[in-house]
Amino acid sequence: TLGFGMTTPATVAGKVFLIIYGLFGCAGTILFFNLFLERIISLLAFIMKACHERQLRRSGLLPPNFRRGPAMAGVGSLVGWKPSVYHVMLILGIFAVTLSCCASAMYTAVEGWNYVDSLYYCFVTFSTIGFGDLVSSQNAAYQNQGLYRFGNFIFILMGVCCIYSLFNVISIVIKQVLNWVLKKFECRCCPKCHKSSARLGRRNAITPGARLRRHNISMDADGQYDSDTEGRRLSGEMISMRELTASNKVSLAILQKQLSETANGYPRNVCINTRQNGFSAGVGALAIMNNRLAETSDSR
């Protein structure tokens, strides 16, 4: 997806071949970038978790002979721990800048560009913008031409993978900033907005997480209601068969959770810090980072 344009198909057969081959070639390239993103996030999570464990040992929160394994479940400081999105963005940014500086030094020495133009070329190339005003390896002959083209290939490949990962992490930060700005601009001074929005929803509508929160409140109210269904009946509201089935499923899930905690001897709060680190949601590459971080933090 660079699209420099210095080499283009000239015949109809070449153009048709490019269209067909591009479908599979671009799809395979995106798959390769996603796999690279998954591996680099796993590596960063492993390294940062090791540093976090070392910091906990120095502060005395972990025993000196602590090892990863089943015993980690009993340590509250490490259960559900994930690296911060800002730390991951900082590490990827440092790696991208270092890679661009090294590549620019090579282009300045071989292509004869000044260092600023070389940095500009690295960003345009690594971000797959591909203007084509500066293109490497276009002279007829170079000193150590084979070695230079191999180094050019490695720098472009690693640079595109690194910038692709960095862009995905930056998109998470942008999403967090936008959510923060939207919360700041909420209409808090006008109570009519909140009343009107509260009237729009159905009283018996099931929203994600609402039934579980209501069930937890009913359990903490000194046994006032035995279940969410009984609470609705005592309040005089109608309940459908679908809602009754859903409430029974939630009650069964809570009962299984309590039995599991009693058997293991500790509460299972694996995903406490999920929203704090910024990797709580996402689509595509964002979901890959979230799932990989969850697997890394739970299994190591």
Side-chain angles (χ1 to χ4, degrees), residues 2 7 17 46 97 112 117 124 177 184-185 216 233 270 297:
L2 292 179
T7 302
F17 173 77
F46 177 77
V97 170
D117 288 342
V124 171
V177 173
K184 290 296 182 180
F185 281 97
N216 292 334
R233 288 174 181 172
V270 175
S297 61

Side-chain angles (χ1 to χ4, degrees), residues 40-41 43-45 47-49 51-52 55 81-95 165-166 169-170 172-173 176 276-279 289 293:
I40 196 67
I41 291 297
L43 178 62
L44 291 179
I47 295 175
M48 296 175 67
K49 192 166 188 178
C51 296
H52 182 65
Q55 183 179 2
W81 184 89
K82 294 180 183 179
S84 172
V85 62
Y86 303 104
H87 294 164
V88 175
M89 182 180 66
L90 178 62
I91 294 175
L92 287 175
I94 292 175
F95 185 74
S165 303
L166 182 61
V169 179
I170 292 176
I172 298 177
V173 177
Q176 291 181 345
Q276 297 177 359
N277 52 41
F279 290 101
M289 285 192 293
L293 283 168

Side-chain angles (χ1 to χ4, degrees), residues 16-18 29 34 40 109 117 124 151 160 184-185 189 200 230 234 238 246 260 263 282 285 290:
V16 172
F17 173 77
L18 176 63
T29 304
N34 287 331
I40 196 67
D117 288 342
V124 171
V160 172
K184 290 296 182 180
F185 281 97
C189 59
L200 291 177
E230 294 182 7
L234 291 179
M238 298 295 293
S260 176
N290 181 30

